[in-house]
Amino acid sequence: LKNQNKMPLIEALVAYHQEAVVPFDVPGHKHGKGAPELDAFIRKYGLELDVNSMKSLDIISNPTSVIRDAEELLSNAYGADKSFFMVGGTTASVQAMIMSSLAPGDKMILPRNAHKSAINGLILSGAIPAYIQPEIDGTIGIAMAASYDRVKESIEENPDAKALFLINPTYYGITCDIDRIVKLAHDHDMIVLADEAHGAHFHFHDELPRSAMQAGCDMSAVSLHKTGGSLTQSSALLMKTNSFVDENHVRNTINLMLTTSASYLLMASIDFCRKKLAVEGQKIFSDLLDIVRVYRDKINEIPGIYAFGKELIDGKGVVDFDETKLSVNVSELKMTGYQIYDLLREKYQIQAELADVNNVLFIISIGDDEEAFERLYLALKEIGEGHHGGVVQPFRKTLDNPEVIVSPREAYYAGKKTILLAKALNGISGESVMVYPPGIPIISPGERISQDIIDYIEFLKTQHTVITGPEDSTVEYIKVLGI
Ligand SMILES: Cc1ncc(COP(=O)(O)O)c(C=O)c1O
């Protein structure tokens, strides 16, 4: 028997606590600072309210009393007709949205920078993807939103598509021309699904981008835990009741994979979060925008660091920008984004949300205050001044839309063999490859492996980043279809 007195996870969590990390990542309550009522509730009742469903507490899979009332308030807060409490993260919300809208063989149009939960939703539903290439910003090197014109082109090329999937906003806070795009899709009888993992707060302040429900999307998956202040893993699925979606079918689909023992602490946190956003959202986000605007300007005075903002708006790939997303482009420093991400944690105890070669992203939310911003600013100033000058050569090539040879589901179930990545040119991928976060696949099951994809994966292997997806985590080998 191994030493069963050890508790590796507990030890790591306590060590994290002792390190007093400044969180610029999710969850958005930021160690409880943005959710003092929830924090006090959990401290007061603790495990006494870690209970199972019972008559007086309703049941998540078929709510008829208190959970239903709480869901109705959530719908009302977001301008939705119906909402569902979700306890399996926004992954579960995204997948339920896709599975309830599409049957095997149906087609869904989606931007190539969609999160893996959407791709996995295609595996679960058996639907076929038609990808749209998002606009790429040449200066900062990140994928923006898909422009109206590109969406229009794709809708015209795929008139048989049943659904259009939108990201509102991208991880970096960028939104598309959502109102016009929704109208266009509806005119073509397509259901519009929105991944609002990073937009839970949009609905509650008029200087934030439009929310999916405001823009008329049929369904939206919102990560209340990311920017709303609820507990990690809590999420919501919102919908309009109209001819595109059947509420009972959505309920049944959610229940396919829903636990029968949903945590009341998670659900309670959604109730707290909704109340706070609905009652205090306007004030909270006004104050937050005031601070973030001051600090974005201050950070922009640091040599070699560019905290991009609303100036990116061009009406195409960037129709609006969420100012509470604070990303810094570091391409004029001698270090990559990945190195700065590590340095911030190791030297300054600052946890960023994610990095790519040229950028580091900080999540700003309901739980941030001036003290946290000052810590971040001072750290970036020291890094900028110490490492200015010397441009990191990024991987400049834009990856084309992959050739989808078989549906993600067919590829998932097909026979596979493992071969060297270097020898995988033209093979059909049997697995996904991605960097997490952001969890956006570089290649997904069923797609042809191109030389650009091999080169890009080889490039990522030279960076300080963790590649996930393939069984071989070093990605020397990859699984392709065939036996
Ligand atoms: C765009 C996007 N969609 C969906 C998800 C899934 O959310 P969750 O982690 O709550 O399952 C994420 C998580 O990072 C995301 O970034």
Side-chain angles (χ1 to χ4, degrees):
L1 210 59
K2 290 187 172 172
N3 178 359
Q4 292 297 340
N5 282 312
K6 288 193 81 162
M7 295 190 289
L9 181 56
I10 306 289
E11 285 160 23
L13 281 167
V14 172
Y16 169 81
H17 186 255
Q18 283 166 351
E19 206 188 321
V21 170
V22 184
F24 278 102
D25 60 343
V26 295
H29 61 66
K30 306 287 177 100
H31 296 172
K33 272 195 299 183
E37 305 86 350
L38 171 62
D39 194 46
F41 175 84
I42 292 175
R43 283 175 202 275
K44 178 167 179 197
Y45 297 107
L47 297 194
E48 286 174 45
L49 289 185
D50 180 29
V51 290
N52 207 351
S53 70
M54 59 187 80
K55 249 187 190 164
S56 63
L57 294 178
D58 210 356
I59 183 156
I60 191 174
S61 55
N62 181 27
T64 53
S65 61
V66 287
I67 295 179
R68 186 203 52 198
D69 295 348
E71 286 182 341
E72 278 176 11
L73 285 165
L74 184 68
S75 309
N76 179 256
Y78 274 98
D81 295 326
K82 172 88 194 148
S83 67
F84 301 90
F85 276 19
M86 301 293 286
V87 291
T90 297
T91 295
S93 309
V94 166
Q95 291 174 350
M97 216 164 57
I98 294 175
M99 287 169 72
S100 57
S101 311
L102 297 140
D106 284 346
K107 201 188 269 183
M108 179 168 90
I109 300 176
L110 73 166
R112 182 58 193 166
N113 52 341
H115 185 257
K116 68 172 178 173
S117 53
I119 314 298
N120 292 342
L122 295 171
I123 294 179
L124 290 167
S125 65
I128 320 268
Y131 288 111
I132 319 175
Q133 197 56 245
E135 304 292 318
I136 309 285
D137 183 285
T139 321
I140 50 180
I142 59 170
M144 306 299 199
S147 67
Y148 177 85
D149 287 347
R150 288 206 193 191
V151 176
K152 184 165 182 276
E153 222 170 83
S154 180
I155 286 179
E156 281 162 6
E157 277 167 19
N158 300 284
D160 54 334
K162 214 167 157 211
L164 170 68
F165 184 91
L166 300 174
I167 310 167
N168 191 54
T170 66
Y171 226 124
Y172 291 94
I174 285 152
T175 62
C176 66
D177 200 348
I178 190 160
D179 289 79
R180 280 175 75 210
I181 289 176
V182 170
K183 173 155 191 340
L184 181 72
H186 281 164
D187 287 347
H188 288 77
D189 283 334
M190 291 179 195
I191 177 169
V192 185
L193 313 177
D195 178 344
E196 272 194 316
H198 299 281
H201 53 307
F202 283 4
H203 206 83
F204 302 98
H205 197 279
D206 44 23
E207 286 171 49
L208 292 171
R210 303 266 291 162
S211 74
M213 287 296 121
Q214 284 163 338
C217 293
D218 301 295
M219 284 182 156
S220 156
V222 279
S223 274
L224 299 172
H225 70 96
K226 289 197 201 292
T227 53
S230 63
L231 290 182
T232 295
Q233 220 174 300
S234 59
S235 171
L237 181 51
L238 310 174
M239 62 178 277
K240 301 269 187 197
T241 44
N242 59 28
S243 57
F244 289 106
V245 275
D246 172 22
E247 170 182 330
N248 296 321
H249 181 56
V250 177
R251 172 83 270 163
N252 290 338
T253 309
I254 291 171
N255 288 355
L256 278 179
M257 287 188 293
L258 181 67
T259 173
T260 43
S261 317
S263 157
Y264 273 85
L265 296 180
L266 285 184
M267 291 190 276
S269 82
I270 298 179
D271 220 17
F272 269 116
C273 165
R274 182 270 313 153
K275 174 183 176 246
K276 196 167 185 77
L277 290 173
V279 177
E280 299 169 51
Q282 188 70 25
K283 161 98 178 71
I284 289 172
F285 291 106
S286 288
D287 292 349
L288 194 63
L289 285 169
D290 284 347
I291 309 183
V292 81
R293 283 171 185 159
V294 168
Y295 275 91
R296 179 172 266 112
D297 288 348
K298 278 178 81 163
I299 290 169
N300 271 326
E301 282 166 19
I302 302 172
I305 292 190
Y306 170 35
F308 50 86
K310 282 204 162 197
E311 71 283 357
L312 292 185
I313 293 174
D314 63 0
K316 291 185 199 143
V318 191
V319 170
D320 205 352
F321 177 76
D322 172 12
E323 291 176 85
T324 72
K325 284 284 183 313
L326 183 66
S327 303
V328 293
N329 182 271
V330 293
S331 53
E332 286 181 20
L333 297 187
K334 286 185 205 126
M335 298 170 85
T336 64
Y338 297 120
Q339 288 167 323
I340 291 172
Y341 173 95
D342 286 345
L343 182 67
L344 279 168
R345 176 62 191 268
E346 285 155 18
K347 186 166 173 203
Y348 303 94
Q349 290 74 51
I350 289 174
Q351 180 62 52
E353 171 73 6
L354 66 83
D356 63 42
V357 184
N358 291 306
N359 303 282
V360 187
L361 165 62
F362 306 96
I363 300 250
I364 310 298
S365 73
I366 198 159
D368 286 304
D369 54 23
E370 203 152 346
E371 198 186 325
F373 278 102
E374 191 63 22
R375 277 277 290 270
L376 177 62
Y377 166 68
L378 291 175
L380 289 175
K381 189 160 180 282
E382 201 170 284
I383 294 173
E385 285 168 357
H387 301 273
H388 185 221
V391 175
V392 175
Q393 280 312 316
F395 187 90
R396 274 290 175 207
K397 229 175 199 172
T398 307
L399 296 177
D400 289 335
N401 272 347
E403 218 185 316
V404 179
I405 309 297
V406 300
S407 76
R409 184 196 192 101
E410 209 178 309
Y412 181 80
Y413 286 109
K416 297 179 194 75
K417 59 185 177 192
T418 301
I419 60 170
L420 276 170
L421 176 68
K423 298 246 164 90
L425 180 62
N426 291 330
I428 303 170
S429 185
E431 47 193 0
S432 293
V433 180
M434 71 199 86
V435 176
Y436 185 85
I440 294 166
I442 296 151
I443 186 140
S444 296
E447 296 171 1
R448 172 101 60 213
I449 300 171
S450 65
Q451 190 59 50
D452 283 351
I453 288 187
I454 296 175
D455 292 346
Y456 187 52
I457 296 172
E458 291 297 351
F459 166 76
L460 286 174
K461 281 158 67 176
T462 65
Q463 302 297 310
H464 293 233
T465 178
V466 183
I467 300 179
T468 63
E471 227 164 72
D472 170 18
S473 58
T474 66
V475 212
E476 202 184 332
Y477 292 91
I478 189 163
K479 282 180 152 183
V480 294
L481 267 56
I483 357 172

